[in-house]
């Protein structure tokens, strides 16, 4: 049975329809046009495309994502872990990070993470993270 949840994440208020482990932001109209299995397939494809896009844009730092969008690669890792646990799967956070980053987090950090400038840090602290 599905029920509606009102939630707020990083200052964004969302109404979600929750049916078992599936969460769909509403209203979209899309859920009226396709069945749940197809919708989940499309959403999974979108997630994979988001990860591929972030992998192509390693120059975009997590602090930039947090400041501009209110989430970062680490947030995606935490959401991945939480979604897996909702369906009864116990996954290691570092394994979730590796899925999102495309490599072990420490290796990504060494290769791609740059020192945050004082301006970026100031912008980051101005937001509720």
């Amino acid at each position: 049975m599905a029920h509606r949840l009102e939630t707020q994440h990083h200052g964004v208020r969302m109404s979600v329809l929750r049916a078992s482990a599936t969460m769909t932001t509403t209203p979209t109209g899309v859920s009226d046009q396709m069945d749940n299995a197809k919708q989940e397939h499309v959403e999974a494809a979108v997630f994979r495309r988001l990860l591929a896009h972030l992998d192509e844009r390693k120059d975009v730092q997590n602090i930039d994502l947090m400041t501009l969008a209110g989430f970062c690669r680490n947030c995606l890792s935490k959401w991945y872990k939480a979604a897996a646990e909702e369906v009864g799967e116990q996954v290691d956070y570092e394994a979730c990070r590796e899925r999102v980053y495309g490599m072990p987090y420490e290796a990504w950090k060494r290769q791609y993470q740059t020192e945050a400038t004082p301006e970026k840090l100031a912008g980051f602290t101005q937001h509720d993270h």
Side-chain angles (χ1 to χ4, degrees):
M1 174 160 190
H3 60 280
R4 187 163 310 284
L5 298 170
E6 295 295 324
T7 186
Q8 188 164 340
H9 185 72
H10 294 299
V12 177
R13 186 180 168 98
M14 297 187 303
S15 174
V16 293
L17 183 62
R18 180 183 167 126
S20 67
T22 303
M23 296 191 79
T24 305
T25 303
T26 58
T28 63
V30 172
S31 60
D32 298 333
Q33 299 172 18
M34 66 177 85
D35 64 38
N36 286 344
K38 286 181 184 174
Q39 185 172 348
E40 286 185 22
H41 179 79
V42 169
E43 290 169 355
V46 170
F47 177 72
R48 288 188 298 272
R49 181 62 191 112
L50 173 62
L51 293 183
H53 181 75
L54 289 172
D55 191 52
E56 293 165 6
R57 294 297 314 269
K58 291 179 178 81
D59 60 309
V60 178
Q61 298 294 299
N62 282 333
I63 194 166
D64 299 324
L65 289 169
M66 285 299 288
T67 300
L68 295 172
F71 77 97
C72 69
R73 292 170 181 90
N74 290 324
C75 295
L76 290 171
S77 302
K78 291 173 187 173
W79 299 340
Y80 191 98
K81 180 174 176 44
E85 289 174 352
E86 282 186 19
V87 296
E89 295 294 326
Q90 295 301 313
V91 291
D92 179 68
Y93 176 59
E94 291 306 316
C96 295
R97 275 180 153 178
E98 189 167 336
R99 173 71 179 107
V100 169
Y101 282 89
M103 64 177 57
Y105 173 67
E106 290 302 322
W108 191 96
K109 213 167 122 172
R110 277 191 310 277
Q111 281 186 270
Y112 303 107
Q113 186 167 308
T114 61
E115 184 89 21
T117 65
E119 295 81 15
K120 285 185 180 184
L121 288 172
F124 178 73
T125 58
Q126 289 177 354
H127 293 80
D128 179 28
H129 298 291

